[in-house]
Amino acid sequence: MATAEVAPPERKQWSNPVEFFLTLVAFAVGLGNVWRFPYLCFKNGGGAFLIPYTLMLIFIGAPVFYLELTLGQFTSSGPLAVWKVNPLLRGIGYASLATNCFLALYYNVLIAYCFYYLVASFQMIVPWSTCGNWWNTALCTDQATLANLSRTDLALMKNMTSSPSEEYFYRRVLQISSGVDNVDGIVTHLVVALAVAWLICFLALSKGVQSLGKIAYFTALFPYVMLTVLIIRGATLSGAIEGVKFYMGTVNLTVLKSPSVWKEACTQVFYALSCCSGGLIAMASFNDFNNNVYRDTISICLVTWFTSIFGGFAIFTVLGHMATKMGVSVADVAKGGPGLAFVVFPEGLSMMPFAPLWCVLFFLMMCTLGFGSEFSIMETVMASIIDEFKTYLNTPKKIIIFRFTISFVFFLLGLSMVTRGGLYVLNIIDQYLGGFPWLIIGVVELYCIGWVYGVDNFCDDIALMLGEERRPGKFWRICWQYISPLILIFTILFSSLFYQEVTLDDYTYPSWALTLGWLVVILCLGWIPYIFLAEICGRGTWGIIKEARLPHVEWGPARDEHRQLSIRYANAVDPKKLSMQTLSTIDTGDSYDLDRAAIEIIAASPKLFVKRLSDVSSARF
């Protein structure tokens, strides 16, 4: 006797809109808000950098963010299935998913660093504050020694000494090798930390968005508590005002003449909002069809803008105190990237009274920020694959086994970045992934929706979800079609013309390692031309190519009730599947295009009150 085929489980949704909003906050606000934005402000004219950053947020960040949330919510599909809107450009989804996979790999390694520092902070004297340990060299000079030197001596010894925190990070935590070609084995304690990070990630995502939404209450809100505590404590330290002056106190408007400042503002917006990685589409796909994504877009953009500035005060008050105690300028201690989080800032915290307490709070905050983004990144990967193979992954048990398998495979792939040469590999992936892929995906996305699918159709879809009163105005239409793609194209061209080879501090990569970096770019972006050509070859003639640029027959809202709200989507629906609620809104006396079966169902129900669909509030559904 043949067994009945098991139907795939119904796609889960957020328990309430608050969970979705907090998950977006945790996803968008990540480690980069702590170590990237403050340094960019300091480097690019202080408060003047807020001008290009704010403009880029308005004209690029918000439009792309709104577009991706709308796509996910309208179709209730992940970043792979959503691009049925144009079969020729389905490669956008695979490109986004590929970037997400690389991002998830190295992001969890950074979390493993934070986790190791967190555990090491539970000591009376934090180990990165002193010399004389087995990992220190003869060049190690602690703060007590530096405090007794004059400015002249400090300047002379600048390149002849190393700090305890620097040697702790590179020689104890990383046990770093001489170069990328010298892997020199794995670092055991980092492997353990990475395994714990992936285990936490699996447990948090074992039930998908149902568990992710609950965890978001902590991962989204706790970092703000810690940032506030650090700012209050930092403001009471000597030299804090000097740090704030270097951060925002100086406004050098002349830097705005430099195209590189605008380029860095553009890329920072993509980092800050997590655009074009597929994550926004995936998170929105679990929404109710009528959720107000316009409100969410404006709110998240404001939260991200505020958090980037707010976090900088926590960093630079401590750096100002650190520079004052060392007798140097803030410019001499400020760094960007992981060097700020794992070298400079821990050293500054070690100079504070009750240093272990502040180190624990800081690295607990860093772990929370990291996990908040990593959970959403991995849920995007897992949910996208589950959507594609839902006929096979059709029971809760199979889905949990699949989620564990994915987590374990990513852990194994991440081992390459916890070797003694792992930081070189991590830096290569980070630099090449954050350059061209997201910007190019953004351009193709905007072209696909704004010009191929059509901005009018897209606005109709938004009005279908949110009601006619929330139909996008001219600002959004102009941004989607003209302003946003043109700015992104300019940024890509500028980055290409003034391209510089990737380095790690003073280390220069060999040519084969840089080739691996470009291979990462190809593995991400190569999906777009590959699927385009595959569709052309599979369909044959140019006439069929014109047909292929139209949306797939399955494009549109996922549920039949929502498809029936528009003539464009209703004809592909079997009317026997429609709920009586939807049928009660259909006007049989109007020219609404229904097939015979739908009309028979309506005619058999004489008590139904009939209204035009366009007059029915979308909130009823």
Side-chain angles (χ1 to χ4, degrees):
M1 181 176 174
T3 58
E5 184 179 351
V6 179
E10 185 178 352
R11 207 166 195 272
K12 296 177 181 178
Q13 288 188 322
W14 301 106
S15 299
N16 56 69
V18 176
E19 290 186 4
F20 168 65
F21 180 80
L22 292 178
T23 301
L24 282 185
V25 171
F27 181 34
V29 178
L31 296 174
N33 292 80
V34 174
W35 71 41
R36 182 176 168 84
F37 179 83
Y39 179 73
L40 287 178
C41 274
F42 160 75
K43 174 184 171 185
N44 295 303
F49 185 70
L50 289 181
I51 296 174
Y53 178 70
T54 303
L55 291 176
M56 292 297 177
L57 187 66
I58 294 172
F59 292 108
I60 296 180
V64 175
F65 196 91
Y66 190 19
L67 181 144
E68 293 196 335
L69 289 188
T70 298
L71 285 174
Q73 180 171 301
F74 183 71
T75 61
S76 299
S77 301
L80 295 183
V82 77
W83 294 106
K84 290 177 181 177
V85 65
N86 185 272
L88 287 177
L89 296 176
R90 284 189 302 114
I92 299 173
Y94 291 93
S96 299
L97 191 64
T99 62
N100 240 20
C101 290
F102 283 110
L103 180 61
L105 284 175
Y106 82 78
Y107 213 82
N108 233 12
V109 173
L110 294 175
I111 295 173
Y113 293 172
C114 296
F115 190 75
Y116 182 81
Y117 268 85
L118 175 63
V119 174
S121 299
F122 288 94
Q123 303 182 46
M124 293 301 295
I125 300 176
V126 289
W128 51 85
S129 63
T130 61
C131 296
N133 304 291
W134 64 262
W135 59 82
N136 292 125
T137 66
L139 297 177
C140 182
T141 307
D142 58 24
Q143 301 309 316
T145 303
L146 292 175
N148 296 322
L149 297 176
S150 65
R151 284 184 174 270
T152 304
D153 292 334
L154 284 172
L156 291 173
M157 296 179 62
K158 184 177 181 180
N159 297 321
M160 300 171 58
T161 61
S162 57
S163 67
S165 62
E166 188 176 5
E167 294 199 350
Y168 180 79
F169 179 58
Y170 290 110
R171 296 179 58 82
R172 174 68 182 97
V173 179
L174 301 181
Q175 299 178 17
I176 195 166
S177 66
S178 58
V180 67
D181 47 1
N182 184 15
V183 176
D184 202 19
I186 62 174
V187 182
T188 307
H189 55 264
L190 289 182
V191 173
V192 174
L194 184 63
V196 172
W198 278 112
L199 178 61
I200 292 173
C201 190
F202 162 69
L203 294 175
L205 300 178
S206 58
K207 294 184 178 180
V209 294
Q210 289 185 330
S211 54
L212 177 60
K214 302 298 184 292
I215 295 171
Y217 285 97
F218 178 76
T219 57
L221 299 177
F222 180 75
Y224 288 96
V225 176
M226 289 297 96
L227 280 175
T228 303
V229 171
L230 287 171
I231 287 176
I232 294 173
R233 181 65 185 99
T236 64
L237 297 172
S238 60
I241 191 66
E242 295 301 318
V244 173
K245 285 180 181 178
F246 269 87
Y247 175 44
M248 284 287 178
T250 57
V251 180
N252 182 11
L253 295 177
T254 59
V255 300
L256 300 182
K257 298 177 182 178
S258 172
S260 63
V261 174
W262 295 86
K263 174 246 180 184
E264 289 188 332
C266 178
T267 54
Q268 176 57 25
V269 164
F270 268 67
Y271 271 109
L273 292 176
S274 302
C275 295
C276 299
S277 64
L280 300 177
I281 295 175
M283 296 301 103
S285 69
F286 301 109
N287 267 341
D288 180 74
F289 186 75
N290 305 117
N291 178 65
N292 191 345
V293 286
Y294 175 77
R295 173 200 60 205
D296 293 335
T297 297
I298 301 301
S299 301
I300 294 295
C301 288
L302 290 174
V303 168
T304 302
W305 184 88
F306 168 77
T307 306
S308 297
I309 299 172
F310 190 62
F313 284 103
I315 299 297
F316 272 88
T317 51
V318 175
L319 293 187
H321 173 66
M322 176 181 172
T324 299
K325 293 201 70 172
M326 294 174 62
V328 298
S329 169
V330 177
D332 294 327
V333 298
K335 292 182 68 175
L340 174 62
F342 301 115
V343 177
V344 177
F345 203 73
E347 185 176 359
L349 292 174
S350 69
M351 299 179 185
M352 297 168 59
F354 307 105
L357 171 63
W358 299 111
C359 290
V360 167
L361 293 178
F362 174 73
F363 285 110
L364 184 59
M365 179 193 73
M366 293 293 285
C367 286
T368 307
L369 281 172
F371 277 126
S373 297
E374 180 71 8
F375 293 159
S376 297
I377 293 168
M378 282 308 299
E379 178 60 23
T380 300
V381 175
M382 293 177 180
S384 299
I385 298 174
I386 290 172
D387 284 346
E388 287 295 298
F389 298 97
K390 54 188 174 185
T391 55
Y392 303 101
L393 300 170
N394 52 11
T395 65
K397 182 179 179 180
K398 289 181 180 179
I399 291 175
I400 288 180
I401 292 174
F402 166 76
R403 289 178 180 274
F404 176 80
T405 303
I406 287 290
S407 300
F408 184 69
V409 169
F410 272 63
F411 163 71
L412 294 178
L413 293 173
L415 291 177
S416 62
M417 285 176 272
V418 290
T419 63
R420 288 175 176 81
L423 184 63
Y424 301 104
V425 179
L426 187 152
N427 186 60
I428 278 280
I429 296 176
D430 178 38
Q431 295 296 318
Y432 278 94
L433 192 66
F436 292 103
W438 285 328
L439 300 178
I440 293 176
I441 291 172
V443 171
V444 181
E445 271 189 14
L446 290 164
Y447 169 73
C448 178
I449 299 301
W451 293 98
V452 181
Y453 180 62
V455 72
D456 290 333
N457 288 334
F458 189 60
C459 291
D460 288 341
D461 294 339
I462 295 176
L464 188 66
M465 284 196 307
L466 307 183
E468 193 64 34
E469 67 276 7
R470 294 194 181 96
R471 176 181 290 273
K474 290 183 179 180
F475 169 79
W476 298 104
R477 299 164 66 95
I478 293 172
C479 283
W480 287 326
Q481 284 193 298
Y482 302 103
I483 298 177
S484 298
L486 288 176
I487 293 177
L488 289 177
I489 290 171
F490 167 80
T491 304
I492 293 168
L493 292 176
F494 181 82
S495 300
S496 302
L497 292 174
F498 297 93
Y499 175 76
Q500 294 179 337
E501 296 290 0
V502 173
T503 59
L504 180 61
D505 295 329
D506 296 328
Y507 176 76
T508 302
Y509 283 92
S511 57
W512 66 266
L514 298 175
T515 303
L516 287 179
W518 285 110
L519 181 61
V520 169
V521 175
I522 293 172
L523 288 174
C524 293
L525 297 179
W527 289 100
I528 298 175
Y530 169 73
I531 291 183
F532 183 87
L533 293 174
E535 287 286 339
I536 288 179
C537 294
R539 295 172 182 268
T541 65
W542 182 251
I544 299 179
I545 294 174
K546 291 182 179 179
E547 178 186 343
R549 70 180 179 82
L550 300 174
H552 190 276
V553 67
E554 295 178 2
W555 159 256
R559 298 183 61 180
D560 293 346
E561 283 85 350
H562 300 141
R563 297 183 73 90
Q564 199 66 14
L565 295 174
S566 172
I567 296 175
R568 280 201 293 144
Y569 305 112
N571 290 336
V573 175
D574 181 357
K576 296 180 181 180
K577 296 180 180 180
L578 297 179
S579 70
M580 294 307 294
Q581 180 191 30
T582 300
L583 290 173
S584 67
T585 66
I586 299 175
D587 184 359
T588 56
D590 194 38
S591 59
Y592 191 79
D593 188 11
L594 293 173
D595 58 23
R596 183 179 300 277
I599 296 174
E600 289 175 356
I601 292 176
I602 297 170
S605 305
K607 294 184 179 181
L608 293 180
F609 288 95
V610 180
K611 299 175 68 177
R612 281 182 57 88
L613 278 173
S614 58
D615 297 333
V616 178
S617 171
S618 60
R620 291 184 52 188
F621 297 90

